[in-house]
Amino acid sequence: MTKEHDIFKSFLAEKRLKLTPQRRAILDTVFETHRHFDADELVEIIRHKEKRISRATVYRTLDLLVKAGLVTAMELGEARKVYEHVIGHKHHDHLICMKCGRAIEFDDGFIELLQQKVCDRLNFEAQTHSLRIFGRCESCR
Amino acid sequence: MTKEHDIFKSFLAEKRLKLTPQRRAILDTVFETHRHFDADELVEIIRHKEKRISRATVYRTLDLLVKAGLVTAMELGEARKVYEHVIGHKHHDHLICMKCGRAIEFDDGFIELLQQKVCDRLNFEAQTHSLRIFGRCESCR
DNA sequence: CTGATCCTTGCGACTGAGTCTCATTATATT
DNA sequence: AATATAATGAGACTCAGTCGCAAGGATCAG
Ligand SMILES: [Mn+2]
Ligand SMILES: [Mn+2]
Ligand SMILES: [Zn+2]
Ligand SMILES: [Zn+2]
């Protein structure tokens, strides 16, 4: 039993929700995928495993995974929301190339600290944040 | 003639585009509105002035104003994009209350500087950025 | 076992912000 | 004024995401 299974199971139990084969397939696939993906890509990956799944169930389950803290959702400038799993990937933000679309991950503890300072100063209780820098990547500039 | 008029006029001229009464009405209304607004709100405000305007024209002109650097567009977590004019409002980012929806503006030059450092380190040419901190505001926490 | 309760699923219909098409009208240029 | 080019409004269209609902499955009381 993986860590993410345990977390999802307790999350569901606490909310009186059930761990179904579909939810298990979604959880597994999300944690096998080590890149950003969108909901319909996830549907396709699961269907290639010969498993039946509906778009609605995938959307519904992704919401649950986000609420459980296992997945983050973000808008990287394209039309669709993209997702990535959390365990094994510490928090990071993105540089987004407006020419090729590439998303470069970065992490700067000092920026995060200063964000917290801003919140303290304004008496705001931060829960999450999203920092996106748009421009040209190394190979596109 | 206001500064924004001059800028928009040169922008249009340079691109061989035309200054129409509709574009003038949109520009004026955008600069009279000192808060975040969405495209359909703008349509309503202009129509209340007894001016005919179509949604398509408002969407198209807002894109031009963004390209001209006169307006910024952002997603504050709700469904619709919101806009605000630039002149007279220096750059800032937002704390967004997930309970009441309020957007609190802040500006931290140090954070901006560190963002530039990240870009330099990764050889990325920054054009714009969006930093949103989601949580609970003073009155909702 | 039987029935009541409650959750989940898949399907397809629906929503709604934003975009596009196109016939008509307006602006800029000469 | 004539010409070339761009802009407009109306409504059709797109498409990511949501919702309603009927059918199915687990759980539990009696
Ligand atoms: Mn990432
Ligand atoms: Mn603002
Ligand atoms: Zn690039
Ligand atoms: Zn609030």
Side-chain angles (χ1 to χ4, degrees):
Chain A
M1 204 49 115
T2 61
K3 195 173 168 200
E4 58 266 21
H5 268 89
D6 288 343
I7 293 172
F8 197 34
K9 257 180 87 172
S10 345
F11 172 84
L12 292 173
E14 195 171 322
K15 294 204 135 70
R16 304 282 133 84
L17 302 178
K18 294 167 186 172
L19 183 54
T20 63
Q22 288 87 341
R23 286 178 181 166
R24 225 176 310 228
I26 292 164
L27 178 71
D28 289 346
T29 309
V30 163
F31 275 85
E32 282 159 11
T33 306
H34 299 279
R35 52 178 182 81
H36 299 154
F37 58 86
D38 67 39
D40 282 312
E41 280 169 13
L42 190 52
V43 169
E44 285 317 304
I45 297 170
I46 294 170
R47 287 187 180 158
H48 278 145
K49 295 180 180 173
E50 313 289 305
K51 299 210 165 105
R52 263 181 102 240
I53 197 85
S54 76
R55 290 179 75 237
T57 298
V58 165
Y59 274 104
R60 290 187 281 232
T61 304
L62 282 170
D63 286 348
L64 291 175
L65 290 171
V66 169
K67 285 194 187 111
L70 290 168
V71 164
T72 51
M74 66 222 107
E75 293 139 49
L76 295 186
E78 303 116 60
R80 294 146 167 246
K81 247 189 223 168
V82 300
Y83 300 86
E84 69 187 338
H85 63 254
V86 166
I87 294 173
H89 289 258
K90 66 188 246 219
H91 168 78
H92 57 263
D93 293 296
H94 298 92
L95 307 178
I96 300 160
C97 179
M98 291 170 88
K99 193 166 172 223
C100 69
R102 196 152 71 97
I104 298 144
E105 306 188 338
F106 72 91
D107 175 39
D108 187 318
F110 207 170
I111 291 178
E112 310 265 328
L113 186 71
L114 288 171
Q115 286 178 27
Q116 192 47 58
K117 283 226 160 97
V118 167
C119 292
D120 290 348
R121 178 157 29 92
L122 294 168
N123 218 20
F124 187 87
E125 181 190 309
Q127 285 166 15
T128 58
H129 68 262
S130 150
L131 169 56
R132 296 167 300 169
I133 303 179
F134 299 93
R136 296 282 183 132
C137 77
E138 188 158 15
S139 29
C140 292
R141 56 192 296 188
Chain B
M1 205 49 118
T2 60
K3 194 174 170 198
E4 57 268 19
H5 269 89
D6 289 342
I7 293 173
F8 196 36
K9 256 181 89 172
S10 348
F11 172 84
L12 292 173
E14 194 172 324
K15 295 204 135 69
R16 305 279 134 85
L17 302 178
K18 294 166 184 174
L19 183 55
T20 62
Q22 289 88 340
R23 287 179 179 165
R24 225 174 310 225
I26 291 164
L27 178 71
D28 290 345
T29 309
V30 162
F31 275 84
E32 282 160 11
T33 305
H34 299 279
R35 54 178 180 81
H36 300 154
F37 57 86
D38 67 41
D40 282 310
E41 280 169 12
L42 190 52
V43 169
E44 284 317 304
I45 297 170
I46 295 170
R47 287 187 180 158
H48 277 143
K49 294 180 180 173
E50 313 288 306
K51 299 208 164 108
R52 265 180 100 240
I53 198 85
S54 75
R55 291 180 74 237
T57 298
V58 166
Y59 275 105
R60 291 187 281 232
T61 304
L62 282 170
D63 286 349
L64 291 176
L65 291 171
V66 169
K67 285 192 188 112
L70 290 168
V71 164
T72 52
M74 66 222 106
E75 293 138 49
L76 295 186
E78 304 115 58
R80 296 147 166 244
K81 247 189 223 166
V82 301
Y83 301 85
E84 67 188 339
H85 63 254
V86 166
I87 295 173
H89 290 258
K90 66 189 247 218
H91 168 79
H92 57 263
D93 294 295
H94 297 93
L95 306 178
I96 300 159
C97 178
M98 292 169 87
K99 192 164 173 225
C100 70
R102 195 151 71 98
I104 299 145
E105 307 188 337
F106 73 91
D107 174 39
D108 186 319
F110 208 169
I111 291 178
E112 311 264 327
L113 187 71
L114 289 172
Q115 287 177 25
Q116 192 48 57
K117 283 225 160 98
V118 167
C119 292
D120 291 347
R121 177 157 30 91
L122 295 168
N123 217 20
F124 187 87
E125 181 189 308
Q127 284 167 14
T128 58
H129 68 262
S130 150
L131 169 55
R132 296 168 299 169
I133 303 178
F134 299 93
R136 296 283 183 129
C137 77
E138 187 159 16
S139 28
C140 291
R141 54 191 300 189

